[in-house]
Amino acid sequence: MSLTAIDRTTRKEKMASTHYDVIIVGGGITGAGIALDAAQRGMKVALIEMQDFAAGTSSRSTKLVHGGLRYLKQFQIKVVSETGKERAIVYENGPHVTTPERMLLPMHKGGTFGKFSTMLGLTVYDFLAGVKKSERRVMLNKEETVEMEPLVKQQGLKGGGHYVEYKTDDARLTIEVMKKASEFGADILNYAKSTEFIYDQNKKITGIKVQDMLNNQTFHMTAHKVINATGPWVDEVRDADYSKNNKNLRLTKGVHIVFDESVFPLKQAVYFDTEKDGRMIFAIPRNGKAYVGTTDTFFEYDKASPKVTQEDRDYLMNAIKYMFPSVEITDADIESSWAGIRPLILEEGKDPSEISRKDEIWEGDSGLLTIAGGKLTGYRHMAEEIVDLLAKRLREEQQLKFKKCNTKKTPISGGDIGGSDRLEQFIEEKKAQAKDFKLTEEEGEYLTRLYGSNVDELFRIAHSVSNEDSFGLPSSVYAQVVYSIQHEMINKPVDFFIRRTGTLFFDIEYVERYKRKVIDAMKHLLNWDNVKTEIYTEELNKAIQEAKHATRDVK
């Protein structure tokens, strides 16, 4: 069953009548990775998510699949080694959503990194992360650093390091992994919340009660095992179980702000330390924009919708003015912003930036398996660890046997292009084909970079629609709406503009231009009544408002 948003009732009926090997609660990148791994091994898998897929942390990151260079400062050697190697796997399996990005690390007198420490750090980083030869660090003098990025502060500049990180579309990465899990037979549903555990007479979890968040209907699901992969909500889910251990999460908030390149003409991604507290943050060019982040502050309020405060914006603006003094921007130049929550494992007495990004697996007396902490980059390895344990328990308790993990060499949905080295050639081929489907080369390239090997389906949809039937949308945009409904389970306009296209963060003018017509198309295709249409329209307008403006931090 593909991830279609149509005929939700039939999907729920199947999920209620099937006994699964495992139910995964949580539809971020961790849950998606677990669903793919388990389904590929031959397990009968279900996954539910109370919001949209990737609506939490997995759409609100810095959008980098990176090796964690800054963790060397904290001597988190294992984190650097594991995530550095994992990012190469993530890239190879989904090159359309993960691509190399050269990063500049400027060195200033009195700054966090000196010439020797930078060279040493990047050398160790290359070794630990298993960086291939063509992407290893290059040391630059002052003149070369300025040539690389003329906006960097020149006062006290001593040179720089040039190394490779990997940029990604975090939400689309999650969606593509989820779609691949569905291809292997996983039953998946968003806007479905686990409200209560079901136990047998031995107080072992045998299922969950589920509430459909779109219509408040409830149903039951049963399984041999349940995995809690809910990120910031891990503790809330465990609170519903009698066998919670004494470990807890510590949530921190990270904020990013976005500018048009006309006011912040950044040509090179830069990783730099702030003047205020020496924290390391990123400034990254992306499709005609520049975004900067992230903050790192303790957080304990609205996890479903963390807000960007004026204090957050001021912190990042001051960092920009410190490292890029010639850039004359004001708060009014911020086009959009987002805030995300990091679910870290509590370590008493440590500042937010010092808490380890390691992951842990907890097993309750009830049989509940919980995975907590971790990083986007390491999602595949995290999934392998917990599914190994799941397979062991299913063998011990149910005499069930399954194949070993094979996700290292499994392209995610959209990744079947013949390897990462062939990406640009693949894009050129699809650009040339686009005109045969009533699309421009630019539209063909845009769709190919976003959807990879799935682009043929979007081309087909674009070609089949007439101007009268596209609700006034360009055929390329209409194709995205239809494809997102039929194959990516969008239920609301915010799903489309935030997590399927990323335009609310990186092209808010696009959202303003097409929102009414997209809503009209979705209303028709999903049979909304006027009340539902009004609710979803207001929800989108609120998201636009929050992206554009700071919010008072209500405590």
Side-chain angles (χ1 to χ4, degrees), residues 42-283:
M43 295 181 189
K44 192 173 293 185
V45 178
L47 180 147
I48 61 166
E49 161 58 45
M50 70 174 181
Q51 302 181 94
D52 184 27
F53 306 125
T57 304
S58 297
S59 62
R60 297 169 176 273
S61 71
T62 306
K63 308 190 185 298
L64 290 173
V65 175
H66 63 93
L69 175 62
R70 77 184 184 91
Y71 305 130
L72 278 181
K73 292 173 61 180
Q74 301 160 13
F75 300 102
Q76 295 183 37
I77 304 300
K78 187 177 180 181
V79 172
V80 176
S81 179
E82 286 185 357
T83 56
K85 292 170 184 174
E86 280 297 314
R87 69 178 186 175
I89 299 171
V90 175
Y91 171 46
E92 192 61 38
N93 289 339
H96 63 303
V97 287
T98 305
T99 54
E101 175 82 13
R102 278 281 176 185
M103 192 74 61
L104 176 64
L105 182 65
M107 301 176 297
H108 288 87
K109 184 178 180 180
T112 301
F113 290 98
K115 186 173 182 179
F116 176 76
S117 62
T118 299
M119 182 173 64
L120 178 62
L122 291 177
T123 300
V124 173
Y125 178 75
D126 284 347
F127 172 75
L128 290 174
V131 176
K132 55 187 178 183
K133 190 173 182 180
S134 62
E135 296 181 355
R136 290 176 187 166
R137 61 103 177 96
V138 177
M139 299 305 296
L140 309 171
N141 61 30
K142 177 179 178 180
E143 290 72 25
E144 291 169 330
T145 302
V146 172
E147 182 180 357
M148 195 71 66
E149 181 47 72
L151 298 178
V152 166
K153 181 181 68 166
Q154 297 187 34
Q155 182 180 355
L157 181 65
K158 300 194 297 183
H162 207 217
Y163 71 104
V164 170
E165 291 284 21
Y166 286 59
K167 63 183 178 182
T168 190
D169 183 327
D170 49 5
R172 286 217 57 81
L173 173 62
T174 303
I175 297 300
E176 300 290 34
V177 174
M178 199 76 73
K179 286 156 65 180
K180 195 66 177 182
S182 178
E183 286 181 33
F184 279 106
D187 293 328
I188 295 167
L189 187 66
N190 57 3
Y191 293 102
K193 181 179 181 179
S194 172
T195 59
E196 189 177 337
F197 291 118
I198 300 170
Y199 299 87
D200 64 13
Q201 65 272 19
N202 297 316
K203 298 183 72 175
K204 299 293 185 181
I205 292 176
T206 58
I208 56 174
K209 296 181 181 179
V210 183
Q211 179 181 2
D212 186 332
M213 303 303 286
L214 299 182
N215 60 19
N216 289 322
Q217 293 176 352
T218 60
F219 60 99
H220 291 187
M221 295 174 62
T222 63
H224 294 308
K225 286 289 182 180
V226 175
I227 292 179
N228 172 15
T230 54
W233 289 269
V234 153
D235 284 345
E236 285 186 19
V237 172
R238 292 195 304 148
D239 283 343
D241 180 34
Y242 71 88
S243 63
K244 180 179 177 182
N245 65 17
N246 61 359
K247 293 209 172 187
N248 290 283
L249 294 186
R250 190 65 162 110
L251 306 182
T252 71
K253 184 178 74 169
V255 167
H256 299 79
I257 54 179
V258 182
F259 303 87
D260 189 76
E261 64 180 358
S262 62
V263 296
F264 192 175
L266 189 69
K267 58 185 262 191
Q268 160 71 57
V270 181
Y271 187 35
F272 63 99
D273 49 359
T274 61
E275 180 182 30
K276 181 178 179 181
D277 53 15
R279 283 195 63 254
M280 302 296 295
I281 63 175
F282 294 95

Side-chain angles (χ1 to χ4, degrees), residues 442-453:
E442 290 76 15
E443 288 173 320
E445 178 175 357
Y446 171 79
L447 292 176
T448 306
R449 289 193 183 279
L450 208 59
Y451 298 94
S453 57

